[in-house]
Amino acid sequence: MPSSLRSERAALSTVFALFGVSIGSWISRIPAVTESLGLSKGQLSAVFIAGTIGMLGALYPTSKVIARIGSRSVVLPAASVLLASVALLGVAPSRPWLAAGMFCVGAAGATLNVAINAQGVAVEQLCGRPVMPTFHAGYSFGAMGGAAIGGLAAAAGVGPAAHFPTVAAVLAAVCVVAARFLLDTPRVQAPPRAVAVWRSPGLLLVAAIAFLSFLSERAAGDWSALFMRESIGTSEALAAGAYTAFGLAMGTGRLLGGRMVALLGRRGVVRWGGMLAAAGLTLPLLAPSPLAGIIGLGVFGLGLASMVPVAMSAAGNLPDVPAEQGVAGVVVAGWSASLVGPPLLGNLADLTSLPAALSLVVIAALCLSLLGGRIPIARKTDAPPPALVG
């Protein structure tokens, strides 16, 4: 592999990790921010909705801007706005300011998400082999690192007002250096209208895979600790350890994901990954014990690890959809799952039980396995390869 391409991959992995650290930092300090502003759960939910509105509003113009100026030109501005917005979350004096910060986080995060995944598609096309999962591994480990830093800051008595701006400043300096080595992707003068994207059966199928994948991942984040604590009866520390097992397995699976895609193909990875995820979550549901919970959630994370990277890569290589619009479609599907999943599973758990609600996630994983055999495998052949810079 050319040394310049190694630099491109390292730079892109760094930006993915940066994105993860920023989001993980925020998630780890939500209780502190909620307490400092005296927010109820309903008020906090409204703040989250502001972030979702920002994300949805940014996706369509983002795909058009990336098509015109290239994804590399979008990464640094989007990352800068994201980090400044995260810093604002730490110093927000009231709920309206916090909601404004979340709106900007949603918009900038969605923009950065599309841009870096479009970069990932370009790198894959240039490499000629699947490398997208390794970039998403950077995000997974970055999010875990950001949450760990947040925990250490909380233990040391450092509030979000000092924590967030400090993290943002360090990450901004790293991003400025990394952005210099990203690919200069092709531009087009007249991007197709977005309505054409959703007429693509291939993209609709990939979006369905993304929806089910995000729903399953979100279920692990929202409900795994509560399931371990209430349904299995573990300690709080062990309950948190179960989600750590899920996160570590997912990050490790993404590091190995490129090799698995090369070995099994995209279809094989989704087909077998869905079955593995279903088996992992079924284990503690049928045989509830602390060991089964930790092992099962780890296997669940391993099965889901490459689902989203494969969906991003497939969407970016559809012959009838521009890469940036395909990636945006997958991001929309994923965030939609993040909106639908929590109330769906929460209400179902209230009506029945949490294990019964999580059985729906097992069904989602099995659906992923069924859809895996239909993933489009054609690559674009009419676009020139991206030029190397740096």
Side-chain angles (χ1 to χ4, degrees):
M1 180 186 303
S3 59
S4 57
L5 191 54
R6 288 195 179 95
S7 298
E8 306 294 339
R9 289 182 58 185
L12 186 55
S13 295
T14 299
V15 179
F16 266 90
L18 175 153
F19 190 16
V21 171
S22 62
I23 299 302
S25 298
W26 157 243
I27 290 174
S28 69
R29 305 309 300 271
I30 288 176
V33 173
T34 301
E35 182 179 352
S36 67
L37 296 180
L39 301 180
S40 66
K41 289 184 174 61
Q43 290 173 327
L44 184 61
S45 296
V47 169
F48 291 155
I49 290 173
T52 302
I53 293 173
M55 181 276 300
L56 292 174
L59 282 173
Y60 174 59
T62 291
S63 63
K64 296 192 70 174
V65 169
I66 289 176
R68 289 190 180 278
I69 68 175
S71 56
R72 179 178 183 244
S73 299
V74 172
V75 168
L76 187 56
S80 300
V81 174
L82 172 65
L83 295 174
S85 302
V86 169
L88 175 61
L89 297 179
V91 299
S94 63
R95 180 163 63 96
W97 279 102
L98 187 66
M102 277 302 300
F103 177 90
C104 295
V105 166
T111 302
L112 182 62
N113 201 347
V114 175
I116 58 179
N117 277 287
Q119 280 277 313
V121 170
V123 171
E124 275 200 332
Q125 291 175 347
L126 197 60
C127 284
R129 61 191 181 90
V131 293
M132 182 73 84
T134 61
F135 300 137
H136 285 256
Y139 176 87
S140 296
F141 287 119
M144 291 179 62
I149 292 170
L152 292 174
V158 178
H163 172 203
F164 287 178
T166 301
V167 169
V170 173
L171 294 181
V174 173
C175 187
V176 168
V177 176
R180 296 177 55 202
F181 298 95
L182 297 177
L183 286 175
D184 189 9
T185 53
R187 289 96 162 160
V188 296
Q189 295 302 315
R193 295 177 61 188
V195 67
V197 172
W198 297 105
R199 292 177 181 168
S200 166
L203 182 56
L204 287 174
L205 186 140
V206 173
I209 291 173
F211 180 91
L212 294 171
S213 301
F214 272 90
L215 185 147
S216 301
E217 288 185 32
R218 181 66 185 266
D222 288 343
W223 304 108
S224 61
L226 192 63
F227 169 73
M228 293 287 291
R229 183 81 175 114
E230 295 186 355
S231 300
I232 296 181
T234 66
S235 65
E236 290 186 15
L238 196 57
Y243 181 70
T244 301
F246 170 84
L248 285 173
M250 174 163 282
T252 302
R254 285 177 169 175
L255 282 177
L256 301 174
R259 296 179 182 179
M260 297 308 298
V261 173
L263 178 66
L264 302 174
R266 291 180 188 149
R267 292 178 173 179
V269 165
V270 176
R271 184 186 295 117
W272 291 103
M275 287 191 281
L276 187 64
L281 188 56
T282 299
L283 175 62
L285 292 178
L286 295 183
S289 70
L291 182 60
I294 291 175
I295 293 176
L297 283 166
V299 173
F300 183 57
L302 193 63
L304 292 177
S306 293
M307 297 293 186
V308 173
V310 164
M312 292 287 187
S313 179
N317 283 283
L318 292 170
D320 57 341
V321 180
E324 65 282 345
Q325 291 192 5
V327 170
V330 169
V331 174
V332 168
W335 281 66
S336 298
S338 297
L339 285 175
V340 172
L344 174 65
L345 295 178
N347 290 329
L348 184 58
D350 285 340
L351 291 173
T352 55
S353 67
L354 184 53
L358 291 177
S359 298
L360 185 63
V361 182
V362 174
I363 295 173
L366 292 174
C367 289
L368 279 169
S369 182
L370 292 174
L371 291 174
R374 302 178 63 86
I375 289 180
I377 58 175
R379 287 181 174 271
K380 287 179 169 48
T381 58
D382 55 346
L388 286 174
V389 298

